[in-house]
Amino acid sequence: MAERPARTTASMNRYGAQASPDMTRGTRAGLVLLYAPSYDQFAPAYLLSERDLVIGRDPSSNICVPEGAVSRQHARVRFRDGQWVIADLGSRNGTLVDGQFIAEIPLEDLHEIRVGDAIFKFVAAGAESYAKYRIDGATDTGGITEASLTGIVGGYQIRMLLRALSRVAKSEISVVVLGESGTGKELFAKELHHASGRKGAFQAVNCAAIPASLLESELFGYKRGAFSGAERDRAGIVKAADGGTLFLDEIGDMPLDAQAKLLRVLQSKEIIPVGATTPERVDVRVVCATHRNLTALQRDERFRGDLFARLNEYSLVLPPLRERKEDVFALTRSMLARHHRPELGLTFSFMTGLLHYDWPFNVRELEAAIKRAVALVEGPSLDAQHLPDPIKQAMVEYAVRAPDVDPRATSPAARFETTPHPGYFGQAPGVFDPGHGAHPEARPTTPSPHFAPRDQAPHDQRPTPGPMPAVAPTGHRATRTGTPTEQELRSLLAFHRGNVAAVGREFGKERMQVHRWLKRYGIDVEQYR
């Protein structure tokens, strides 16, 4: 098997910083379980080798999915011509990749595969690392067992980050936490503070939420009479964090003059309140966070390079939720407990809705969805009707009518032989499919240009799409096919002002596929917003 390059996350490409810790350990490709109702009957991950791996209902299958919607030999994954390929084996209910039925398609990193009521993701490398962590949060022998001090939930990727934090927590070095909005940057900063053992307080300030004219006085405090309305001395946030940790969120939005004064704090461990003439000593450990590209801000002279050098003594890159969907089930259960409804069940329809969605606002958005569902539920379980509108809209794109079950079929095997299993589609007939995917007879697949589905003409007999214009036509959006070049993708991003979902609609693809293209070309979507 050809040697594969080390896998990097989109966040690494986006921020131009090496992840800390190294998440690229391991070389094996594999399928990582995201969810199955009987998840305890599955391994957390299945490693791939150059031989075929068969998924099916037959107990002799490499991955046995023991339910009636699955054929005895349902799908096969194998290595061919330098890439992993998944092929449906003529199953009655079909195989879905990223919500679309396929005949045969090459797999890309983070492709989501559904066979019956089991959902996996494909990882191009490092699958052996996932094999020690179950989706319910349990850790098998040999995994990282140290628990979070602040309730952070997650499997392999999160445990690696927690271990890295524990190693630097006792030191005095400054830490930069990088990640998209909603990935939990402040929570990791609190974790670092608790692990540090520092006796002072944890103080957080959002640099983007305070007007530039007030930021200095908020950070460093002021003396009575320093300005109109300053009727008494007031200690700033930095002083309040004396002996503890100062967390500066959205540091990329800090004005340049405040950056200069923060640099003085880091260098001299002193602050000068507004209106004061003598400095005051402070002992603070600084942790900052941003979703912005600080390297690009330095090039544009909007962020001081010397300040960045002081702050970036250690960097931690948090993965977006779309890249760690194996944690969605455990996160959901944890959030239900937090909101006092741990007894609620989760239907397969509800879980597939959560897994199909790409969560542009990450864990924060997931928690909002769970809080909404808890407020709406009247029965014992959360179901598709309790999903937020953005998730429902994503599901409607793959709407389907599930066939009725033959009432004469009583066993799962008999139902499989007579008609597609209704649970395969996740809903009763006539309701949108939260299991995502149109039936192959109702919706044609859009495979890689190198692989033609069984029910389509050979590639050389189908019309070839014309060249893609540099800029999308105004007022009309034709569906495109194939993979865009880097320039074509950049042109569409510019036209849609960085709207990843709109770019996906150009190709009939979802956000996840666009994010894969962004990662492939190393494009920072923030540059287009």
Side-chain angles (χ1 to χ4, degrees):
M1 182 172 67
E3 182 177 354
R4 294 183 174 275
R7 186 167 65 93
T8 59
T9 68
S11 301
M12 294 180 211
N13 291 331
R14 176 175 178 175
Y15 298 108
Q18 176 64 37
S20 302
D22 180 11
M23 292 287 191
T24 63
R25 296 178 181 177
T27 58
R28 297 286 297 278
L31 301 184
V32 177
L33 182 68
L34 299 184
Y35 182 70
S38 55
Y39 60 84
D40 55 340
Q41 299 182 35
F42 292 81
Y46 296 86
L47 307 185
L48 300 179
S49 63
E50 293 191 26
R51 65 181 178 84
D52 293 351
L53 182 148
V54 175
I55 308 172
R57 181 163 48 90
D58 194 294
S60 65
S61 301
N62 303 100
I63 302 179
C64 179
V65 184
E67 52 108 351
V70 178
S71 300
R72 295 188 180 280
Q73 290 193 330
H74 197 105
R76 172 183 285 120
V77 181
R78 57 182 173 174
F79 193 74
R80 190 178 73 192
D81 299 329
Q83 60 188 336
W84 291 101
V85 177
I86 185 169
D88 184 74
L89 296 178
S91 65
R92 183 173 181 82
N93 283 316
T95 302
L96 294 90
V97 174
D98 279 3
Q100 297 189 32
F101 283 88
I102 59 95
E104 187 175 69
I105 191 172
L107 289 171
E108 298 182 17
D109 199 36
L110 304 183
H111 256 153
E112 293 170 17
I113 301 163
R114 181 178 168 194
V115 174
D117 284 359
I119 304 175
F120 306 87
K121 76 172 182 181
F122 170 76
V123 293
E128 58 267 50
S129 300
Y130 291 88
K132 301 170 184 175
Y133 305 93
R134 305 191 68 85
I135 65 169
D136 59 358
T139 304
D140 289 348
T141 302
I144 301 173
T145 57
E146 52 219 66
S148 166
L149 301 174
T150 58
I152 297 175
V153 175
Y156 162 63
Q157 297 185 64
I158 296 302
R159 298 294 181 94
M160 287 289 289
L161 294 172
L162 291 174
R163 171 173 282 184
L165 279 185
S166 68
R167 289 173 176 170
V168 301
K170 301 294 183 181
S171 71
E172 297 296 319
I173 63 176
S174 300
V175 176
V176 176
V177 184
L178 301 171
E180 296 180 6
S181 177
T183 49
K185 296 185 288 293
E186 183 169 350
L187 195 58
F188 273 87
K190 288 181 179 178
E191 181 80 19
L192 181 65
H193 172 69
H194 284 283
S196 71
R198 294 178 67 87
K199 303 301 182 182
F202 175 87
Q203 294 288 332
V205 58
N206 188 329
C207 300
I210 301 176
S213 59
L214 299 178
L215 185 59
E216 183 180 350
S217 61
E218 289 292 322
L219 284 177
F220 308 120
Y222 53 81
K223 293 297 184 179
R224 178 181 178 184
F227 50 83
S228 178
E231 299 177 353
R232 62 180 63 87
D233 291 355
R234 180 180 176 183
I237 296 173
V238 176
K239 188 67 174 179
D242 191 19
T245 303
L246 174 65
F247 175 60
L248 299 173
D249 198 9
E250 299 304 344
I251 188 74
D253 292 302
M254 178 178 281
L256 283 170
D257 55 347
Q259 292 179 30
K261 294 178 180 179
L262 177 62
L263 179 61
R264 175 183 174 84
V265 174
L266 295 174
Q267 290 176 333
S268 65
K269 300 295 184 180
E270 294 178 340
I271 61 170
I272 302 178
V274 178
T277 57
T278 57
E280 299 178 7
R281 296 287 297 177
V282 291
D283 172 25
V284 294
R285 203 264 187 81
V286 176
V287 181
C288 63
T290 184
H291 73 281
R292 292 183 176 273
N293 187 327
L294 293 180
T295 302
L297 290 178
Q298 291 175 70
R299 287 197 302 265
D300 297 338
E301 298 184 349
R302 295 164 57 193
F303 198 86
R304 295 178 62 107
D306 49 0
L307 176 60
F308 178 75
R310 282 281 183 175
L311 293 172
N312 193 35
E313 293 174 329
Y314 189 83
S315 64
L316 201 72
V317 182
L318 305 187
L321 186 55
R322 65 178 174 273
E323 293 186 7
R324 61 178 188 105
K325 289 188 179 179
E326 66 277 7
D327 294 339
V328 168
F329 178 69
L331 283 167
T332 300
R333 298 261 36 129
S334 173
M335 291 169 183
L336 288 175
R338 188 181 312 155
H339 297 290
H340 314 294
R341 295 301 305 272
E343 80 286 357
L344 285 174
L346 304 172
T347 66
F348 182 74
S349 302
F350 187 82
M351 280 305 305
T352 47
L354 296 184
L355 290 170
H356 180 55
Y357 190 57
D358 283 336
W359 304 107
F361 300 104
N362 297 290
V363 180
R364 181 182 297 132
E365 187 179 11
L366 174 62
E367 180 155 24
I370 300 305
K371 288 172 64 177
R372 176 188 183 277
V374 167
L376 294 177
V377 67
E378 295 179 349
S381 298
L382 298 180
D383 205 346
Q385 66 194 45
H386 305 121
L387 292 168
D389 290 341
I391 300 180
K392 290 181 180 178
Q393 183 59 41
M395 298 302 100
V396 166
E397 297 177 6
Y398 300 98
V400 67
R401 288 182 176 272
D404 293 326
V405 179
D406 184 344
R408 296 169 297 179
T410 56
S411 68
R415 289 199 299 271
F416 167 77
E417 298 299 339
T418 56
T419 184
H421 194 288
Y424 187 74
F425 299 104
Q427 268 290 350
V431 183
F432 78 89
D433 172 25
H436 64 86
H439 194 277
E441 296 178 358
R443 176 183 172 92
T445 187
T446 308
S448 163
H450 302 294
F451 294 84
R454 295 186 299 260
D455 55 352
Q456 289 189 8
H459 186 269
D460 57 359
Q461 297 179 21
R462 298 196 299 274
T464 303
M468 180 181 293
V471 178
T474 304
H476 176 70
R477 196 178 305 140
T479 299
R480 306 168 189 274
T481 59
T483 300
T485 64
E486 179 178 350
Q487 184 55 47
E488 290 166 346
L489 186 56
R490 289 185 180 276
S491 296
L492 285 170
L493 286 168
F495 178 78
H496 292 294
R497 299 182 180 180
N499 187 325
V500 173
V503 173
R505 286 192 291 270
E506 293 276 359
F507 294 88
K509 301 289 186 182
E510 295 190 57
R511 296 170 55 97
M512 178 65 82
Q513 182 58 59
V514 180
H515 281 295
R516 291 193 190 100
W517 293 334
L518 294 174
K519 184 166 68 172
R520 178 184 303 175
Y521 296 129
I523 297 175
D524 177 12
V525 72
E526 290 295 326
Q527 297 176 355
Y528 298 90
R529 291 175 174 167

